[in-house]
Amino acid sequence: MFRMSALWFLVVGLSTFVFSAAAAQVETFETGKTPLAEIHVATTGSDTVGNGTPGSPDASIGRAVQDAAPGTAIRVSPGTYAGGTFVESLSGTAANPIWIGGVPGQAKPIIDGADTGLHFSEVRYLVLHDLVVQNAVVNGINTDDGANYADPEATRQVVFRDLEVHDIGGTGNQDCLKLSGVDDFWVLDSSFARCGGGSSG
């Protein structure tokens, strides 16, 4: 289990890193919580006419987060989605987090390509779960404080659960999971493989 208060953290390297913490036994702010609402994302959806319902889903996480309030679960259906999503200033609460991830009981959706697969900045009480991130050039998942160094609340309380991040970058400083200025986070039951060439973490 990783629960840390840290200024910076990254997982990279040629090896495979597997964090298995028996997640059901690890309590986080999401323990015992259930979503109050759902926003659905699918490869067949639309970011212009979709409304986030199962019958009319959005096409991207980037569109779905625009309507996400505390207590919302963004349910991403199986399929392959383009990387490069940037999410800023997304905040749940201790009582009502925000979830972004695959649909329970279904195959994990794949976030493929771009410089960074998923980038989160100044987020709080967020659960990122059940996703595959692959083939990004610089970082698989990047979470940071938006250079708001002096504010310990800038980015905090983030759970990374049941993620697979692999084949990121090449021989340089490219990261599977890069955390900068993140306080209070958990990395649970996730695997990281073939990211960068520095073998640091």
Side-chain angles (χ1 to χ4, degrees), residues 14-153:
L14 299 175
S15 301
T16 298
F17 295 81
V18 179
F19 297 96
S20 182
Q25 300 175 16
V26 176
E27 290 195 2
T28 74
F29 59 83
E30 75 161 324
T31 302
K33 308 293 194 316
T34 56
L36 303 176
E38 294 184 347
I39 298 174
H40 293 264
V41 175
T43 57
T44 56
S46 170
D47 283 350
T48 54
V49 298
N51 59 19
T53 62
S56 184
D58 294 329
S60 69
I61 293 172
R63 175 64 186 88
V65 297
Q66 295 177 27
D67 297 321
T72 300
I74 296 175
R75 304 296 196 193
V76 186
S77 293
T80 300
Y81 301 81
T85 296
F86 178 72
V87 176
E88 185 176 29
S89 301
L90 182 67
S91 293
T93 66
N96 295 299
I98 292 174
W99 291 263
I100 299 176
V103 180
Q106 297 186 18
K108 293 177 182 177
I110 298 168
I111 311 299
D112 185 76
D115 282 347
T116 295
L118 294 169
H119 187 173
F120 298 91
S121 187
E122 295 187 274
V123 295
R124 301 167 196 86
Y125 293 101
L126 173 66
V127 181
L128 192 66
H129 66 95
D130 294 290
L131 295 169
V132 176
V133 181
Q134 64 184 30
N135 299 327
V137 176
V138 179
N139 297 306
I141 300 171
N142 185 4
T143 305
D144 61 45
D145 60 5
N148 196 358
Y149 313 120
D151 184 1
E153 301 297 322

Side-chain angles (χ1 to χ4, degrees), residues 164-181:
E164 300 174 27
V165 185
H166 63 86
D167 297 294
I168 305 300
T171 59
N173 180 23
Q174 297 92 29
D175 308 338
C176 283
L177 173 63
K178 182 174 182 178
L179 308 181
S180 304

